[in-house]
Amino acid sequence: MQDFLQKAKQSSRIVATLSTEIKNSVLLQMANALQENTSYIIEENSKDMKNAKENNLSSAMQDRLLLNEKRVFDMANAIRQIASQTEPVGRILDGWVTKDDLNIQKVSIPIGVIGIIYESRPNVTSDTAALCFKSGNVCVLKGGKEAENSNQAIAKILQNILEKNNLPKQAISLLPDSSREGVAKLIKEDKFVDLIVPRGGEALIRFISENSSIPVIKHDKGVCHIFIDKDANANKVISIVINAKCQRPSACNSIETILVHDDIAPYILTGLQEELKLQGTQLKGCAKTLEYIKVDFAQENDFYTEYLENILNIKVVSNVNEAIEHIQKYGSGHSESILSENYTTINKFLNEVDAACVYANASTRFTDGGEFGLGAEVGISTNKLHSRGPMGINDLTTFKYKIYGQGQTRK
Amino acid sequence: MQDFLQKAKQSSRIVATLSTEIKNSVLLQMANALQENTSYIIEENSKDMKNAKENNLSSAMQDRLLLNEKRVFDMANAIRQIASQTEPVGRILDGWVTKDDLNIQKVSIPIGVIGIIYESRPNVTSDTAALCFKSGNVCVLKGGKEAENSNQAIAKILQNILEKNNLPKQAISLLPDSSREGVAKLIKEDKFVDLIVPRGGEALIRFISENSSIPVIKHDKGVCHIFIDKDANANKVISIVINAKCQRPSACNSIETILVHDDIAPYILTGLQEELKLQGTQLKGCAKTLEYIKVDFAQENDFYTEYLENILNIKVVSNVNEAIEHIQKYGSGHSESILSENYTTINKFLNEVDAACVYANASTRFTDGGEFGLGAEVGISTNKLHSRGPMGINDLTTFKYKIYGQGQTRK
């Protein structure tokens, strides 16, 4: 493991200083190579699919695992899109001249070696590898066991292109020991690895946060809310709530709970219930909600749950403060929205709610690299430090200070 | 412990939204209160000093621990300076309009609850408390056992001012269990604490990095270098090397090693040796160095050592690449400097050396919040993520996205 990681670390110095021109040329070659090897990739993927069927993976899981011609084409195009993004390395983030006439520049640089732990979808392998390469980083990828053949095939094709360009193939690596023990070892190697990004189940993320001696940027759950204020515009309420809950309930930026101001509850809950019924949404309500509409009773624990399904909690609150209190207690700091036309209430909500993304009069479903206009994303960070919310290519950089002097010494 | 931290967390929501006016008024009251209670502080400090003598603490340690009228006055003035700094919360760091006409603002916000673990100097207690308060954060302070009475006295005075202003005194807290076990517990409380900043010995920092489930920003050692290129201006060399080594050898931004280009070594080593002799510097050299001047032989391990004393390693290298290789292998990513008049060599060095601060033609001693013009500093981060190098008040903030819509749903 240490040998392998040492090579990754050494490669990182080469990748960090590649020119934009070379990086983009290599990425475009990678995209073409994936397309040219479509049948090989599908062949290897079919081994994973066979195992998945034998192991009775859910049909949803099987669908995520499956590669076909269209999906390989999409993977190649994602790499082309990443190549077209603005160079993330070398941006001058800040700069000034000190009292001693030192010229200080704060410049973006690659992070170094990034370990990424993920599951299922094999396109994550090529997406992440391309994002890391574009930002001058080396990636150590640990995909799911169920996708092992697909991931190996994809990595091999990308590595071939690296070697054709006289670049170290370790710049895009799969973790050699992909067992749980392998991960446990990886997250202790702080001499060689600069960042760990876990995407996956709560238990995995918990294990990594507690045991890693390397900084971790979590992609954890989203328990998101919409607060419908008494001054909400009723026309916007239904479309936004339906979009935020029903468009893709399995997404982390979908909502779990709506908080409804007591003054507006009698006027909107019946209508909302009817519309959500058409969407097949299962509703659970607090005691107060049950006074207005007939739904299941929401238990305390329901408010903590990330459903990832078409289920919605309703809680009636008496003011914006109670809504904020509820969000701070039950929310996961992901995406929170207020529907209101009241300037002061909106201002209070946006200022006081502590979450990666706080919205006024919009669906929480916009928390996404593509929707934000950041391009392809590594994921959505639920960390509070370094990167928060949609994590684009610029979030895969850190910085250093370059200081230009003319012989200065400190007084 | 959990009760205590829960209160700290609750206070953090209050402190986070205080206006600049209130924060500054409270800070100025704190500064005055410290001055007014000078004799009480000195009285409590004398208990620590008595223990220090009984425990035979080194005279350097005793000097760091000592408080007198002048030093309390300086503490008060440091708080006044912090109050005068530009508001770090609410800065708009970035902003744009998306394809769906969402108006996105990336806004700086406080981090939340920050645990700070440090040693000896009691002024760190008031400095850090003021920096955290100014940036809207709650601090949980764990000072050294040797300064316990002094720290308690200082915290009590600051907390009194909080209470006088109807603010929760938990906004500035001392960790109730200040034992090693207390620290071990603290760094697992990720529900209540958002960041741990350890300042101290290597063993402490290692322990915290390996065991914390909370993000850590380390203030670790500085193994810093100056590379004297063949194109260095000899007039600048001696003054910069002497400044970087001898002005304050115990500082982390002092150098441990000079790397001398082989072409210039015969012309400058003798002169450097003479000048450094006048400063009482003990020199150790590589085999090649010993061909030019008579000094002790530098062992492999010497190059890894942060001396914190007036000792300097010399290594002769054949080019800038060898210098960079050496720095990447032995350096701690703190501060590195090149002395050269060659545009291309400087560019290569500044681009390829991975450290918080990379200098051209200046002393590494400038790596400091005050020298950078950042105002009072929390310390010098040797982390690669979130904060790197001198950590000023803005580094005590993170960000959230505020998104202003007009009813948008995702397509």
Side-chain angles (χ1 to χ4, degrees):
Chain A
M1 172 77 86
Q2 291 207 338
D3 255 27
F4 162 80
L5 291 176
Q6 190 155 26
K7 277 179 194 151
K9 187 79 184 174
Q10 281 161 356
S11 322
S12 78
R13 289 193 42 214
I14 297 166
V15 178
T17 52
L18 292 177
S19 70
T20 308
E21 200 182 343
I22 289 176
K23 287 192 287 192
N24 289 349
S25 154
V26 169
L27 286 168
L28 294 178
Q29 291 171 53
M30 285 176 177
N32 294 341
L34 283 182
Q35 251 182 284
E36 283 157 18
N37 288 285
T38 302
S39 56
Y40 166 63
I41 295 172
I42 292 178
E43 204 180 294
E44 293 298 304
N45 179 253
S46 68
K47 294 180 191 167
D48 290 331
M49 292 304 294
K50 193 171 158 247
N51 292 335
K53 273 164 208 146
E54 283 173 14
N55 295 326
N56 291 316
L57 252 65
S58 71
S59 61
M61 284 281 272
Q62 287 193 35
D63 179 61
R64 294 175 68 192
L65 191 55
L66 179 73
L67 290 180
N68 52 33
E69 210 164 313
K70 165 80 169 63
R71 287 189 176 177
V72 175
F73 179 72
D74 288 345
M75 282 162 55
N77 268 347
I79 295 184
R80 290 184 184 109
Q81 222 174 41
I82 290 164
S84 75
Q85 285 190 259
T86 308
E87 175 63 52
V89 175
R91 289 170 296 137
I92 298 184
L93 307 170
D94 202 350
W96 64 93
V97 175
T98 71
K99 58 180 165 53
D100 297 290
D101 210 26
L102 289 170
N103 185 320
I104 298 187
Q105 284 181 12
K106 186 177 180 178
V107 182
S108 71
I109 60 164
I111 289 173
V113 177
I114 304 180
I116 299 174
I117 298 157
Y118 57 101
E119 282 166 353
S120 279
R121 285 183 296 140
N123 70 304
V124 176
T125 304
S126 54
D127 285 5
T128 317
L131 285 164
C132 286
F133 187 76
K134 172 82 182 188
S135 50
N137 293 294
V138 162
C139 60
V140 175
L141 303 171
K142 153 73 182 86
K145 228 184 168 54
E146 69 289 352
E148 198 155 354
N149 292 295
S150 317
N151 290 337
Q152 292 275 6
I154 295 165
K156 210 165 126 188
I157 293 164
L158 304 184
Q159 288 179 336
N160 273 341
I161 299 297
L162 289 173
E163 288 189 315
K164 264 192 193 161
N165 288 273
N166 293 316
L167 293 170
K169 69 172 185 177
Q170 288 83 3
I172 295 174
S173 303
L174 294 185
L175 191 69
D177 176 2
S178 74
S179 67
R180 184 85 172 210
E181 291 72 42
V183 171
K185 272 187 216 160
L186 173 70
I187 61 179
K188 291 290 184 197
E189 295 292 348
D190 45 277
K191 267 193 195 155
F192 305 115
V193 182
D194 299 289
L195 174 65
I196 297 285
V197 180
R199 300 171 51 163
E202 241 182 300
L204 173 77
I205 290 178
R206 189 83 213 148
F207 171 76
I208 289 173
S209 302
E210 281 179 359
N211 293 287
S212 178
S213 59
I214 303 166
V216 173
I217 294 184
K218 290 179 281 194
H219 290 63
D220 211 345
K221 65 179 181 177
V223 177
C224 308
H225 304 77
I226 288 179
F227 167 52
I228 303 169
D229 183 36
K230 70 180 169 58
D231 300 318
N233 177 331
N235 293 326
K236 295 175 187 167
V237 169
I238 290 176
S239 62
I240 290 178
V241 169
I242 286 179
N243 186 258
K245 178 68 248 181
C246 312
Q247 191 193 28
R248 204 175 141 208
S250 65
C252 59
N253 55 18
S254 294
I255 56 168
E256 318 302 330
T257 299
I258 53 173
L259 303 163
V260 184
H261 195 293
D262 209 358
D263 292 1
I264 204 175
Y267 308 105
I268 62 153
L269 281 180
T270 315
L272 253 177
Q273 184 185 28
E274 277 170 22
E275 293 287 341
L276 286 165
K277 207 177 200 174
L278 298 175
Q279 305 286 333
T281 309
Q282 183 194 334
L283 295 177
K284 302 185 182 187
C286 68
K288 195 87 197 231
T289 305
L290 270 54
E291 293 176 15
Y292 300 115
I293 52 173
K294 223 187 122 188
V295 296
D296 293 340
F297 179 67
Q299 309 288 334
E300 166 84 358
N301 196 47
D302 289 327
F303 290 109
Y304 284 112
T305 307
E306 184 187 31
Y307 287 122
L308 302 169
E309 284 182 80
N310 199 356
I311 307 173
L312 181 67
N313 304 316
I314 304 175
K315 187 179 176 186
V316 175
V317 294
S318 46
N319 52 45
V320 63
N321 287 321
E322 199 186 330
I324 295 172
E325 288 291 337
H326 181 97
I327 289 170
Q328 297 306 149
K329 181 168 178 194
Y330 298 95
S332 65
H334 193 293
S335 301
E336 310 293 349
S337 185
I338 177 174
L339 309 186
S340 181
E341 299 298 315
N342 184 306
Y343 179 85
T344 303
T345 315
I346 288 176
N347 206 31
K348 184 179 173 66
F349 185 90
L350 296 188
N351 282 336
E352 294 189 16
V353 171
D354 183 14
C357 300
V358 286
Y359 292 85
N361 295 320
S363 167
T364 55
R365 291 274 297 128
F366 284 107
T367 301
D368 172 273
E371 298 298 322
F372 262 48
L374 304 176
E377 66 175 22
V378 187
I380 295 167
S381 161
T382 53
N383 257 49
K384 218 167 161 181
L385 296 186
H386 189 75
S387 165
R388 203 175 191 205
M391 195 177 167
I393 209 162
N394 286 341
D395 295 297
L396 289 177
T397 63
T398 179
F399 64 86
K400 66 178 169 191
Y401 290 106
K402 289 185 183 178
I403 303 115
Y404 297 86
Q406 308 84 29
Q408 285 92 332
T409 54
R410 183 166 167 181
K411 276 157 210 104
Chain B
M1 171 80 85
Q2 290 207 337
D3 256 26
F4 162 79
L5 291 176
Q6 190 155 25
K7 276 179 197 151
K9 186 80 184 173
Q10 282 161 355
S11 322
S12 78
R13 289 193 42 213
I14 297 165
V15 177
T17 52
L18 291 178
S19 70
T20 307
E21 200 182 343
I22 290 177
K23 288 192 287 191
N24 289 349
S25 153
V26 170
L27 285 169
L28 294 178
Q29 291 172 53
M30 286 176 176
N32 294 341
L34 283 183
Q35 252 181 282
E36 283 157 18
N37 288 285
T38 303
S39 56
Y40 166 62
I41 295 172
I42 292 176
E43 203 180 294
E44 292 299 303
N45 178 252
S46 67
K47 295 181 191 165
D48 290 330
M49 292 305 293
K50 190 169 160 249
N51 292 335
K53 272 164 208 147
E54 282 173 15
N55 296 325
N56 291 315
L57 253 65
S58 71
S59 61
M61 285 279 274
Q62 287 194 33
D63 180 61
R64 294 176 68 192
L65 191 55
L66 178 74
L67 290 180
N68 51 34
E69 211 164 313
K70 164 82 170 63
R71 286 191 177 175
V72 175
F73 179 71
D74 288 346
M75 283 163 53
N77 267 348
I79 296 184
R80 291 184 185 110
Q81 221 173 43
I82 290 165
S84 75
Q85 284 191 261
T86 308
E87 175 62 52
V89 175
R91 288 171 296 137
I92 298 184
L93 307 170
D94 202 351
W96 64 94
V97 176
T98 71
K99 59 180 165 49
D100 298 289
D101 210 24
L102 289 170
N103 186 319
I104 299 187
Q105 283 182 14
K106 186 177 180 177
V107 182
S108 71
I109 60 164
I111 288 172
V113 178
I114 305 181
I116 299 175
I117 298 157
Y118 57 101
E119 285 166 352
S120 277
R121 284 184 297 141
N123 69 304
V124 176
T125 305
S126 54
D127 285 5
T128 317
L131 285 163
C132 286
F133 186 77
K134 171 84 182 186
S135 50
N137 294 293
V138 162
C139 60
V140 175
L141 304 171
K142 153 73 184 86
K145 228 183 171 53
E146 70 287 353
E148 200 154 353
N149 292 296
S150 317
N151 290 337
Q152 293 275 6
I154 295 165
K156 209 165 127 188
I157 294 165
L158 304 183
Q159 287 178 337
N160 273 341
I161 299 297
L162 289 173
E163 288 189 315
K164 265 192 195 164
N165 288 273
N166 292 317
L167 293 170
K169 67 172 186 176
Q170 288 83 3
I172 295 174
S173 303
L174 294 185
L175 191 69
D177 175 2
S178 75
S179 67
R180 184 84 172 209
E181 291 70 43
V183 172
K185 271 186 216 160
L186 172 70
I187 61 178
K188 291 289 184 200
E189 295 292 349
D190 46 276
K191 266 192 193 156
F192 305 114
V193 182
D194 299 289
L195 172 65
I196 297 285
V197 179
R199 299 171 55 163
E202 242 182 299
L204 174 78
I205 290 178
R206 188 84 215 148
F207 171 76
I208 290 173
S209 302
E210 282 179 359
N211 293 288
S212 178
S213 60
I214 303 166
V216 173
I217 294 184
K218 290 179 282 196
H219 290 62
D220 210 346
K221 64 179 181 179
V223 176
C224 308
H225 304 77
I226 288 179
F227 168 50
I228 304 169
D229 183 37
K230 70 180 168 62
D231 299 319
N233 178 330
N235 293 326
K236 296 175 185 166
V237 168
I238 289 176
S239 63
I240 291 179
V241 169
I242 286 178
N243 186 257
K245 178 69 248 182
C246 311
Q247 191 193 29
R248 202 174 143 209
S250 65
C252 59
N253 54 17
S254 294
I255 56 168
E256 317 303 329
T257 298
I258 53 172
L259 303 162
V260 184
H261 195 294
D262 209 357
D263 292 1
I264 204 176
Y267 308 105
I268 62 153
L269 281 181
T270 314
L272 253 176
Q273 185 185 25
E274 277 169 21
E275 292 287 342
L276 286 165
K277 210 176 199 173
L278 298 177
Q279 305 287 333
T281 309
Q282 182 194 338
L283 295 177
K284 301 185 182 187
C286 69
K288 196 84 197 232
T289 305
L290 270 57
E291 293 176 16
Y292 300 115
I293 52 173
K294 223 185 122 188
V295 295
D296 292 340
F297 179 66
Q299 308 289 334
E300 166 83 359
N301 196 48
D302 289 327
F303 291 108
Y304 284 112
T305 308
E306 184 188 29
Y307 287 123
L308 303 169
E309 284 182 79
N310 200 357
I311 308 173
L312 181 67
N313 304 316
I314 305 175
K315 188 181 176 186
V316 175
V317 295
S318 45
N319 52 48
V320 63
N321 287 320
E322 200 187 329
I324 294 172
E325 287 292 338
H326 181 98
I327 289 170
Q328 296 307 149
K329 183 169 176 192
Y330 298 94
S332 65
H334 194 294
S335 301
E336 311 292 350
S337 185
I338 178 174
L339 309 187
S340 180
E341 299 299 314
N342 184 305
Y343 179 85
T344 303
T345 314
I346 288 175
N347 206 30
K348 185 181 172 67
F349 185 91
L350 295 188
N351 282 335
E352 295 188 15
V353 170
D354 183 15
C357 300
V358 286
Y359 291 85
N361 296 320
S363 167
T364 54
R365 290 274 297 129
F366 284 107
T367 300
D368 173 90
E371 297 298 321
F372 262 48
L374 304 176
E377 66 175 23
V378 187
I380 294 167
S381 159
T382 53
N383 257 47
K384 219 168 159 180
L385 296 185
H386 190 75
S387 165
R388 203 176 192 206
M391 196 174 168
I393 209 161
N394 287 340
D395 295 297
L396 289 177
T397 63
T398 179
F399 64 87
K400 67 179 169 189
Y401 290 106
K402 289 185 182 177
I403 303 116
Y404 296 87
Q406 307 85 29
Q408 285 93 331
T409 54
R410 182 165 168 182
K411 276 155 211 108

